[in-house]
Amino acid sequence: MDSKAHWEQVYETKRSDEVSWYQADPTTSLALIQRVAPDRSVCILDVGAGTSLLVDRLLAAGYARVTVLDLSGTALKAVGDRLPPELRSRVKLIEADVLKTELPPHSVDVWHDRAVFHFLIERADRCAYVAQVQRALRPGGHVIVSTFAEDGPTTCSGLPVARYDSAGLHAIFGARFELLDSVREQHITPSGGRQAFQYCVCRMRAASSQAA
């Protein structure tokens, strides 16, 4: 089964609050976004968001330009259907593979990813992901990536994952990305399990200021 078929099956067969990564209130992600982007007019891209409630919280906080990207059209339809019309008009939904889609250059102020990057177990996929961030993010923009921590699960949704500490995660993005903060979070799954997550917040330097 390819990746798109896998995630379509997940969202066709499980309610949003049944998947292990479900958060009734994505407080950590929202707080980190608000910290790096107090200006509510910025463009925020939530990668691999599925049916996450982060978009709802961002809209409630006054952000006017939010893009949700996911492989699953089923998940995106659920997001669109639950948003009231006056809020839906402020959200762009993109059904695409983040590694392959053509995002407009320097069009994103904040790139957010909770629980996508750790599925990229092949080096080529990680490199393609970082290249996409570098292409889409404006210089001076911020990337917030959350993966399973070193003591987190080794699989998710039946798929193998990579695990990171903050130094290891930052190292993959490289010297062009300045590490501003790292946060650990203990996520409680709907079934009551505990999963350790590692967040990293980075600012992308202008190419001319990249460290040697």
Side-chain angles (χ1 to χ4, degrees):
M1 183 183 295
D2 65 21
S3 293
K4 179 172 175 56
H6 174 86
W7 293 112
E8 292 290 9
Q9 183 181 63
V10 168
Y11 288 108
E12 287 171 359
T13 57
K14 292 187 177 182
R15 298 194 317 267
S16 296
D17 60 357
E18 290 180 323
V19 295
S20 64
W21 51 92
Y22 171 77
Q23 290 180 305
D25 197 0
T27 54
T28 301
S29 291
L30 181 59
L32 292 175
I33 291 172
Q34 290 178 315
R35 184 190 308 175
V36 301
D39 180 358
R40 268 34 180 185
S41 68
V42 298
C43 180
I44 299 170
L45 175 64
D46 192 9
V47 172
T51 56
S52 168
L53 293 168
L54 179 60
V55 61
D56 307 62
R57 302 297 187 262
L58 289 169
L59 293 170
Y63 290 96
R65 300 165 61 204
V66 182
T67 298
V68 178
L69 185 151
D70 201 273
L71 271 174
S72 171
T74 302
L76 294 175
K77 183 178 185 303
V79 172
D81 287 348
R82 79 170 182 244
L83 292 174
E86 65 273 16
L87 296 181
R88 173 67 182 85
S89 62
R90 290 157 53 186
V91 177
K92 184 176 183 180
L93 304 177
I94 300 178
E95 182 180 343
D97 183 339
V98 67
L99 302 183
K100 299 176 181 177
T101 190
E102 293 188 13
L103 298 168
H106 303 160
S107 61
V108 176
D109 296 293
V110 180
W111 176 296
H112 174 267
D113 165 3
R114 179 180 179 269
V116 173
F117 191 78
H118 60 209
F119 286 108
L120 306 181
I121 60 174
E122 300 295 335
R123 183 177 183 275
D125 289 340
R126 293 193 292 269
C127 289
Y129 182 104
V130 173
Q132 287 282 60
V133 176
Q134 291 181 333
R135 185 179 303 112
L137 199 64
R138 67 166 178 81
H142 295 84
V143 55
I144 300 168
V145 175
S146 175
T147 70
F148 284 139
E150 283 190 308
D151 54 340
T154 57
T155 63
C156 181
S157 190
L159 301 174
V161 297
R163 300 181 296 174
Y164 298 94
D165 62 10
S166 61
L169 185 54
H170 177 229
I172 291 174
F173 282 80
R176 191 172 179 188
F177 293 86
E178 176 189 4
L179 180 63
L180 302 180
D181 198 5
S182 62
V183 178
R184 276 179 57 93
E185 179 183 61
Q186 283 291 330
H187 169 61
I188 308 300
T189 71
S191 62
R194 290 181 174 270
Q195 297 178 337
F197 274 80
Q198 176 68 58
Y199 287 75
C200 280
V201 182
C202 298
R203 182 180 65 86
M204 191 173 80
R205 312 174 199 264
S208 60
S209 65
Q210 181 174 350

